[in-house]
Amino acid sequence: AAVQNVKFDYQSGDAPQATAEVYNADADKYEIAYECWQEFENNEPVAAWYSDNGSHGSLPTITKFESGKKYVYFVMLKQKDGYSFSKDVAMTVNWESVKSSLSGEFLYAPAVKTITMPTIKVIDVVEVNDVTVSFKDGDKPVFTGNTPTDAPYYMFRCEWWELDSTTGLVSTEPEWGSDIYKNKITAFEAGKTYHYGVFVSAYGDLGNTRYVF
């Protein structure tokens, strides 16, 4: 018995979806009875979602996956008329073997997949320190900015100085960014206004914590 297209790549805030399918070649033999996600705390289910919207207990309904919580996926298959599941039936979900058990005309696969939603931490303030912003006429651009070593973000790629959309200088030239500005700033000139820019990126996932701006 094979189940395919089950969605496991959920993000915090997503609602559970019914995506499991049976191969066309087997569609006359068995069908998806229902899919289930259960939220667990201290190894006990505390909420559940069922794809058939049926009543399978008294647990509150999961409406979305929440930050920092653990969820376990289950699926139930039902045989069709003229067919029955073998007591030694092998079962796969998304091409991976899973444990299953018979329950009358149903084939049940418990605890197929466990996912834990990362804890979301929002970055409210970004520090870029030690940027050289004081220049005299004729000085060459220099790039000295940095971010704190313990910050959940880092200076990605580059800093830059820009005079206009075609004139500027990127800190990583010529290895990267040399094609951004047609004209290069070789020295600052009195009376002109220059703009400083920096590309900062969040680290994203660190362990089970996800950092976002």
Side-chain angles (χ1 to χ4, degrees):
V3 176
Q4 61 180 346
N5 295 334
V6 178
K7 179 177 173 62
F8 293 133
D9 58 339
Y10 288 99
Q11 304 296 322
S12 296
D14 290 346
Q17 299 177 32
T19 61
E21 296 178 342
V22 173
Y23 286 106
N24 289 336
D26 295 326
D28 61 332
K29 302 178 180 68
Y30 55 88
E31 63 186 352
I32 307 294
Y34 61 81
E35 299 175 78
C36 169
W37 282 100
Q38 289 187 352
E39 177 190 335
F40 274 74
E41 291 182 4
N42 300 318
N43 295 320
E44 295 290 336
V46 295
W49 168 89
Y50 294 92
S51 61
D52 62 354
N53 295 316
S55 176
H56 299 275
S58 59
L59 293 175
T61 299
I62 297 169
T63 58
K64 63 181 181 180
F65 294 100
E66 297 183 37
S67 170
K69 295 186 177 180
K70 183 172 76 172
Y71 300 88
V72 181
Y73 177 82
F74 306 76
V75 63
M76 183 81 82
L77 303 184
K78 182 181 180 181
Q79 64 194 34
K80 289 190 173 181
D81 290 344
Y83 291 91
S84 61
F85 292 112
S86 163
K87 66 177 181 179
D88 299 317
V89 62
M91 184 175 176
T92 64
V93 174
N94 290 3
W95 304 282
E96 293 188 6
S97 296
V98 298
K99 294 182 179 180
S100 61
S101 61
L102 291 172
S103 178
E105 60 183 358
F106 294 95
L107 180 64
Y108 180 56
V112 172
K113 183 81 169 180
T114 298
I115 61 175
T116 301
M117 291 293 105
T119 299
I120 304 297
K121 289 194 175 181
V122 177
I123 301 168
D124 295 317
V125 176
V126 171
E127 290 184 38
V128 178
N129 302 317
D130 301 323
V131 177
T132 301
V133 293
S134 179
F135 296 94
K136 297 178 181 179
D137 181 33
D139 285 349
K140 295 180 179 180
V142 294
F143 301 99
T144 58
N146 60 73
T147 55
T149 56
D150 58 348
Y153 52 85
Y154 61 105
M155 287 181 58
F156 179 75
R157 291 275 190 200
C158 64
E159 303 169 85
W160 66 90
W161 282 103
E162 180 180 286
L163 177 63
D164 54 45
S165 60
T166 60
T167 306
L169 187 67
V170 179
S171 64
T172 51
E173 293 190 32
E175 290 82 6
W176 183 87
S178 59
D179 58 340
I180 294 177
Y181 295 108
K182 179 180 178 181
N183 305 310
K184 309 302 179 184
I185 299 174
T186 57
F188 292 104
E189 298 179 34
K192 293 185 177 180
T193 300
Y194 298 86
H195 302 278
Y196 171 82
V198 61
F199 197 139
V200 178
S201 179
Y203 275 115
D205 290 357
L206 292 176
N208 196 46
T209 301
R210 177 168 298 164
Y211 291 93
V212 298
F213 290 120

